[in-house]
mmCIF file with all atom_site columns, all heavy atoms in Angstrom:
data_model
loop_
_atom_site.group_PDB
_atom_site.id
_atom_site.type_symbol
_atom_site.label_atom_id
_atom_site.label_alt_id
_atom_site.label_comp_id
_atom_site.label_asym_id
_atom_site.label_entity_id
_atom_site.label_seq_id
_atom_site.pdbx_PDB_ins_code
_atom_site.Cartn_x
_atom_site.Cartn_y
_atom_site.Cartn_z
_atom_site.occupancy
_atom_site.B_iso_or_equiv
_atom_site.pdbx_formal_charge
_atom_site.auth_seq_id
_atom_site.auth_comp_id
_atom_site.auth_asym_id
_atom_site.auth_atom_id
_atom_site.pdbx_PDB_model_num
ATOM 1   N N   . ILE A 1 62 ? 87.848 81.448 106.758 1.00 84.00 ? 73 ILE A N   1
ATOM 2   C CA  . ILE A 1 62 ? 88.360 82.047 107.997 1.00 84.00 ? 73 ILE A CA  1
ATOM 3   C C   . ILE A 1 62 ? 88.604 80.972 109.045 1.00 84.00 ? 73 ILE A C   1
ATOM 4   O O   . ILE A 1 62 ? 89.673 80.913 109.659 1.00 84.00 ? 73 ILE A O   1
ATOM 5   C CB  . ILE A 1 62 ? 87.368 83.099 108.527 1.00 84.00 ? 73 ILE A CB  1
ATOM 6   C CG1 . ILE A 1 62 ? 87.199 84.221 107.503 1.00 84.00 ? 73 ILE A CG1 1
ATOM 7   C CG2 . ILE A 1 62 ? 87.848 83.664 109.857 1.00 84.00 ? 73 ILE A CG2 1
ATOM 8   C CD1 . ILE A 1 62 ? 86.166 85.255 107.900 1.00 84.00 ? 73 ILE A CD1 1
ATOM 9   N N   . VAL A 1 63 ? 87.616 80.132 109.271 1.00 79.00 ? 74 VAL A N   1
ATOM 10  C CA  . VAL A 1 63 ? 87.728 79.042 110.246 1.00 79.00 ? 74 VAL A CA  1
ATOM 11  C C   . VAL A 1 63 ? 88.206 77.809 109.500 1.00 79.00 ? 74 VAL A C   1
ATOM 12  O O   . VAL A 1 63 ? 87.412 76.979 109.019 1.00 79.00 ? 74 VAL A O   1
ATOM 13  C CB  . VAL A 1 63 ? 86.386 78.775 110.947 1.00 79.00 ? 74 VAL A CB  1
ATOM 14  C CG1 . VAL A 1 63 ? 86.558 77.736 112.048 1.00 79.00 ? 74 VAL A CG1 1
ATOM 15  C CG2 . VAL A 1 63 ? 85.813 80.056 111.513 1.00 79.00 ? 74 VAL A CG2 1
ATOM 16  N N   . THR A 1 64 ? 89.511 77.679 109.379 1.00 79.00 ? 75 THR A N   1
ATOM 17  C CA  . THR A 1 64 ? 90.113 76.575 108.631 1.00 79.00 ? 75 THR A CA  1
ATOM 18  C C   . THR A 1 64 ? 91.493 76.287 109.188 1.00 79.00 ? 75 THR A C   1
ATOM 19  O O   . THR A 1 64 ? 92.129 77.150 109.805 1.00 79.00 ? 75 THR A O   1
ATOM 20  C CB  . THR A 1 64 ? 90.216 76.921 107.127 1.00 79.00 ? 75 THR A CB  1
ATOM 21  O OG1 . THR A 1 64 ? 90.867 75.844 106.438 1.00 79.00 ? 75 THR A OG1 1
ATOM 22  C CG2 . THR A 1 64 ? 91.012 78.196 106.925 1.00 79.00 ? 75 THR A CG2 1
ATOM 23  N N   . ALA A 1 65 ? 91.962 75.057 108.972 1.00 77.00 ? 76 ALA A N   1
ATOM 24  C CA  . ALA A 1 65 ? 93.295 74.677 109.451 1.00 77.00 ? 76 ALA A CA  1
ATOM 25  C C   . ALA A 1 65 ? 94.398 75.250 108.587 1.00 77.00 ? 76 ALA A C   1
ATOM 26  O O   . ALA A 1 65 ? 95.552 75.317 109.008 1.00 77.00 ? 76 ALA A O   1
ATOM 27  C CB  . ALA A 1 65 ? 93.411 73.152 109.501 1.00 77.00 ? 76 ALA A CB  1
ATOM 28  N N   . ASN A 1 66 ? 94.065 75.656 107.372 1.00 82.00 ? 77 ASN A N   1
ATOM 29  C CA  . ASN A 1 66 ? 95.062 76.217 106.447 1.00 82.00 ? 77 ASN A CA  1
ATOM 30  C C   . ASN A 1 66 ? 94.596 77.587 105.959 1.00 82.00 ? 77 ASN A C   1
ATOM 31  O O   . ASN A 1 66 ? 94.153 77.742 104.815 1.00 82.00 ? 77 ASN A O   1
ATOM 32  C CB  . ASN A 1 66 ? 95.264 75.273 105.259 1.00 82.00 ? 77 ASN A CB  1
ATOM 33  C CG  . ASN A 1 66 ? 95.780 73.909 105.686 1.00 82.00 ? 77 ASN A CG  1
ATOM 34  O OD1 . ASN A 1 66 ? 96.783 73.811 106.395 1.00 82.00 ? 77 ASN A OD1 1
ATOM 35  N ND2 . ASN A 1 66 ? 95.081 72.857 105.259 1.00 82.00 ? 77 ASN A ND2 1
ATOM 36  N N   . PRO A 1 67 ? 94.670 78.595 106.811 1.00 81.00 ? 78 PRO A N   1
ATOM 37  C CA  . PRO A 1 67 ? 94.196 79.921 106.401 1.00 81.00 ? 78 PRO A CA  1
ATOM 38  C C   . PRO A 1 67 ? 95.147 80.560 105.391 1.00 81.00 ? 78 PRO A C   1
ATOM 39  O O   . PRO A 1 67 ? 96.347 80.280 105.361 1.00 81.00 ? 78 PRO A O   1
ATOM 40  C CB  . PRO A 1 67 ? 94.192 80.709 107.721 1.00 81.00 ? 78 PRO A CB  1
ATOM 41  C CG  . PRO A 1 67 ? 95.244 80.047 108.549 1.00 81.00 ? 78 PRO A CG  1
ATOM 42  C CD  . PRO A 1 67 ? 95.189 78.590 108.187 1.00 81.00 ? 78 PRO A CD  1
ATOM 43  N N   . SER A 1 68 ? 94.595 81.399 104.564 1.00 85.00 ? 79 SER A N   1
ATOM 44  C CA  . SER A 1 68 ? 95.382 82.158 103.588 1.00 85.00 ? 79 SER A CA  1
ATOM 45  C C   . SER A 1 68 ? 95.110 83.643 103.791 1.00 85.00 ? 79 SER A C   1
ATOM 46  O O   . SER A 1 68 ? 94.041 84.032 104.257 1.00 85.00 ? 79 SER A O   1
ATOM 47  C CB  . SER A 1 68 ? 95.021 81.740 102.159 1.00 85.00 ? 79 SER A CB  1
ATOM 48  O OG  . SER A 1 68 ? 93.651 82.000 101.894 1.00 85.00 ? 79 SER A OG  1
ATOM 49  N N   . PHE A 1 69 ? 96.100 84.446 103.430 1.00 84.00 ? 80 PHE A N   1
ATOM 50  C CA  . PHE A 1 69 ? 95.959 85.880 103.658 1.00 84.00 ? 80 PHE A CA  1
ATOM 51  C C   . PHE A 1 69 ? 94.921 86.496 102.721 1.00 84.00 ? 80 PHE A C   1
ATOM 52  O O   . PHE A 1 69 ? 94.053 87.253 103.155 1.00 84.00 ? 80 PHE A O   1
ATOM 53  C CB  . PHE A 1 69 ? 97.303 86.579 103.460 1.00 84.00 ? 80 PHE A CB  1
ATOM 54  C CG  . PHE A 1 69 ? 97.265 88.047 103.766 1.00 84.00 ? 80 PHE A CG  1
ATOM 55  C CD1 . PHE A 1 69 ? 97.268 88.499 105.078 1.00 84.00 ? 80 PHE A CD1 1
ATOM 56  C CD2 . PHE A 1 69 ? 97.197 88.984 102.750 1.00 84.00 ? 80 PHE A CD2 1
ATOM 57  C CE1 . PHE A 1 69 ? 97.217 89.863 105.370 1.00 84.00 ? 80 PHE A CE1 1
ATOM 58  C CE2 . PHE A 1 69 ? 97.142 90.338 103.028 1.00 84.00 ? 80 PHE A CE2 1
ATOM 59  C CZ  . PHE A 1 69 ? 97.152 90.773 104.340 1.00 84.00 ? 80 PHE A CZ  1
ATOM 60  N N   . LEU A 1 70 ? 94.972 86.158 101.448 1.00 87.00 ? 81 LEU A N   1
ATOM 61  C CA  . LEU A 1 70 ? 94.036 86.707 100.463 1.00 87.00 ? 81 LEU A CA  1
ATOM 62  C C   . LEU A 1 70 ? 92.847 85.758 100.296 1.00 87.00 ? 81 LEU A C   1
ATOM 63  O O   . LEU A 1 70 ? 93.009 84.533 100.340 1.00 87.00 ? 81 LEU A O   1
ATOM 64  C CB  . LEU A 1 70 ? 94.728 86.912 99.113  1.00 87.00 ? 81 LEU A CB  1
ATOM 65  C CG  . LEU A 1 70 ? 95.865 87.947 99.091  1.00 87.00 ? 81 LEU A CG  1
ATOM 66  C CD1 . LEU A 1 70 ? 96.504 87.981 97.707  1.00 87.00 ? 81 LEU A CD1 1
ATOM 67  C CD2 . LEU A 1 70 ? 95.360 89.320 99.484  1.00 87.00 ? 81 LEU A CD2 1
ATOM 68  N N   . PRO A 1 71 ? 91.660 86.296 100.113 1.00 88.00 ? 82 PRO A N   1
ATOM 69  C CA  . PRO A 1 71 ? 90.480 85.430 99.905  1.00 88.00 ? 82 PRO A CA  1
ATOM 70  C C   . PRO A 1 71 ? 90.545 84.737 98.550  1.00 88.00 ? 82 PRO A C   1
ATOM 71  O O   . PRO A 1 71 ? 90.941 85.334 97.545  1.00 88.00 ? 82 PRO A O   1
ATOM 72  C CB  . PRO A 1 71 ? 89.310 86.421 99.969  1.00 88.00 ? 82 PRO A CB  1
ATOM 73  C CG  . PRO A 1 71 ? 89.900 87.744 99.610  1.00 88.00 ? 82 PRO A CG  1
ATOM 74  C CD  . PRO A 1 71 ? 91.302 87.737 100.114 1.00 88.00 ? 82 PRO A CD  1
ATOM 75  N N   . HIS A 1 72 ? 90.179 83.454 98.540  1.00 86.00 ? 83 HIS A N   1
ATOM 76  C CA  . HIS A 1 72 ? 90.156 82.711 97.276  1.00 86.00 ? 83 HIS A CA  1
ATOM 77  C C   . HIS A 1 72 ? 88.974 83.137 96.411  1.00 86.00 ? 83 HIS A C   1
ATOM 78  O O   . HIS A 1 72 ? 89.097 83.256 95.190  1.00 86.00 ? 83 HIS A O   1
ATOM 79  C CB  . HIS A 1 72 ? 90.087 81.203 97.556  1.00 86.00 ? 83 HIS A CB  1
ATOM 80  C CG  . HIS A 1 72 ? 91.283 80.676 98.281  1.00 86.00 ? 83 HIS A CG  1
ATOM 81  N ND1 . HIS A 1 72 ? 92.562 80.710 97.755  1.00 86.00 ? 83 HIS A ND1 1
ATOM 82  C CD2 . HIS A 1 72 ? 91.404 80.104 99.513  1.00 86.00 ? 83 HIS A CD2 1
ATOM 83  C CE1 . HIS A 1 72 ? 93.416 80.172 98.610  1.00 86.00 ? 83 HIS A CE1 1
ATOM 84  N NE2 . HIS A 1 72 ? 92.738 79.800 99.694  1.00 86.00 ? 83 HIS A NE2 1
ATOM 85  N N   . ARG A 1 73 ? 87.853 83.364 97.050  1.00 86.00 ? 84 ARG A N   1
ATOM 86  C CA  . ARG A 1 73 ? 86.648 83.806 96.338  1.00 86.00 ? 84 ARG A CA  1
ATOM 87  C C   . ARG A 1 73 ? 86.083 85.026 97.060  1.00 86.00 ? 84 ARG A C   1
ATOM 88  O O   . ARG A 1 73 ? 85.240 84.908 97.950  1.00 86.00 ? 84 ARG A O   1
ATOM 89  C CB  . ARG A 1 73 ? 85.603 82.692 96.291  1.00 86.00 ? 84 ARG A CB  1
ATOM 90  C CG  . ARG A 1 73 ? 86.051 81.466 95.501  1.00 86.00 ? 84 ARG A CG  1
ATOM 91  C CD  . ARG A 1 73 ? 84.960 80.400 95.514  1.00 86.00 ? 84 ARG A CD  1
ATOM 92  N NE  . ARG A 1 73 ? 85.371 79.221 94.767  1.00 86.00 ? 84 ARG A NE  1
ATOM 93  C CZ  . ARG A 1 73 ? 84.626 78.125 94.635  1.00 86.00 ? 84 ARG A CZ  1
ATOM 94  N NH1 . ARG A 1 73 ? 83.430 78.068 95.249  1.00 86.00 ? 84 ARG A NH1 1
ATOM 95  N NH2 . ARG A 1 73 ? 85.071 77.097 93.938  1.00 86.00 ? 84 ARG A NH2 1
ATOM 96  N N   . PRO A 1 74 ? 86.552 86.225 96.716  1.00 88.00 ? 85 PRO A N   1
ATOM 97  C CA  . PRO A 1 74 ? 86.086 87.440 97.408  1.00 88.00 ? 85 PRO A CA  1
ATOM 98  C C   . PRO A 1 74 ? 84.578 87.591 97.311  1.00 88.00 ? 85 PRO A C   1
ATOM 99  O O   . PRO A 1 74 ? 83.965 87.330 96.266  1.00 88.00 ? 85 PRO A O   1
ATOM 100 C CB  . PRO A 1 74 ? 86.808 88.566 96.651  1.00 88.00 ? 85 PRO A CB  1
ATOM 101 C CG  . PRO A 1 74 ? 87.993 87.904 96.017  1.00 88.00 ? 85 PRO A CG  1
ATOM 102 C CD  . PRO A 1 74 ? 87.549 86.515 95.671  1.00 88.00 ? 85 PRO A CD  1
ATOM 103 N N   . THR A 1 75 ? 83.974 88.003 98.408  1.00 88.00 ? 86 THR A N   1
ATOM 104 C CA  . THR A 1 75 ? 82.526 88.178 98.453  1.00 88.00 ? 86 THR A CA  1
ATOM 105 C C   . THR A 1 75 ? 82.164 89.386 99.296  1.00 88.00 ? 86 THR A C   1
ATOM 106 O O   . THR A 1 75 ? 82.892 89.758 100.225 1.00 88.00 ? 86 THR A O   1
ATOM 107 C CB  . THR A 1 75 ? 81.859 86.923 99.046  1.00 88.00 ? 86 THR A CB  1
ATOM 108 O OG1 . THR A 1 75 ? 80.446 87.132 99.145  1.00 88.00 ? 86 THR A OG1 1
ATOM 109 C CG2 . THR A 1 75 ? 82.411 86.598 100.416 1.00 88.00 ? 86 THR A CG2 1
ATOM 110 N N   . LEU A 1 76 ? 81.047 90.001 98.959  1.00 89.00 ? 87 LEU A N   1
ATOM 111 C CA  . LEU A 1 76 ? 80.512 91.124 99.729  1.00 89.00 ? 87 LEU A CA  1
ATOM 112 C C   . LEU A 1 76 ? 79.392 90.678 100.665 1.00 89.00 ? 87 LEU A C   1
ATOM 113 O O   . LEU A 1 76 ? 78.690 91.513 101.229 1.00 89.00 ? 87 LEU A O   1
ATOM 114 C CB  . LEU A 1 76 ? 79.993 92.210 98.776  1.00 89.00 ? 87 LEU A CB  1
ATOM 115 C CG  . LEU A 1 76 ? 81.040 92.909 97.902  1.00 89.00 ? 87 LEU A CG  1
ATOM 116 C CD1 . LEU A 1 76 ? 80.363 93.879 96.930  1.00 89.00 ? 87 LEU A CD1 1
ATOM 117 C CD2 . LEU A 1 76 ? 82.063 93.647 98.765  1.00 89.00 ? 87 LEU A CD2 1
ATOM 118 N N   . ARG A 1 77 ? 79.261 89.379 100.832 1.00 89.00 ? 88 ARG A N   1
ATOM 119 C CA  . ARG A 1 77 ? 78.178 88.837 101.646 1.00 89.00 ? 88 ARG A CA  1
ATOM 120 C C   . ARG A 1 77 ? 78.266 89.325 103.097 1.00 89.00 ? 88 ARG A C   1
ATOM 121 O O   . ARG A 1 77 ? 77.240 89.605 103.735 1.00 89.00 ? 88 ARG A O   1
ATOM 122 C CB  . ARG A 1 77 ? 78.220 87.307 101.604 1.00 89.00 ? 88 ARG A CB  1
ATOM 123 C CG  . ARG A 1 77 ? 77.195 86.617 102.495 1.00 89.00 ? 88 ARG A CG  1
ATOM 124 C CD  . ARG A 1 77 ? 75.770 86.914 102.027 1.00 89.00 ? 88 ARG A CD  1
ATOM 125 N NE  . ARG A 1 77 ? 74.798 86.324 102.919 1.00 89.00 ? 88 ARG A NE  1
ATOM 126 C CZ  . ARG A 1 77 ? 74.349 85.066 102.795 1.00 89.00 ? 88 ARG A CZ  1
ATOM 127 N NH1 . ARG A 1 77 ? 74.813 84.286 101.816 1.00 89.00 ? 88 ARG A NH1 1
ATOM 128 N NH2 . ARG A 1 77 ? 73.450 84.601 103.625 1.00 89.00 ? 88 ARG A NH2 1
ATOM 129 N N   . ASN A 1 78 ? 79.473 89.436 103.621 1.00 89.00 ? 89 ASN A N   1
ATOM 130 C CA  . ASN A 1 78 ? 79.624 89.871 105.003 1.00 89.00 ? 89 ASN A CA  1
ATOM 131 C C   . ASN A 1 78 ? 79.092 91.283 105.212 1.00 89.00 ? 89 ASN A C   1
ATOM 132 O O   . ASN A 1 78 ? 78.448 91.571 106.226 1.00 89.00 ? 89 ASN A O   1
ATOM 133 C CB  . ASN A 1 78 ? 81.092 89.802 105.421 1.00 89.00 ? 89 ASN A CB  1
ATOM 134 C CG  . ASN A 1 78 ? 81.620 88.374 105.452 1.00 89.00 ? 89 ASN A CG  1
ATOM 135 O OD1 . ASN A 1 78 ? 80.908 87.447 105.824 1.00 89.00 ? 89 ASN A OD1 1
ATOM 136 N ND2 . ASN A 1 78 ? 82.879 88.205 105.048 1.00 89.00 ? 89 ASN A ND2 1
#
Side-chain angles (χ1 to χ4, degrees):
I73 299 176
V74 186
T75 177
N77 299 307
S79 61
F80 184 77
L81 296 177
H83 297 297
R84 296 179 180 179
T86 177
L87 295 175
R88 176 65 183 273
N89 294 323

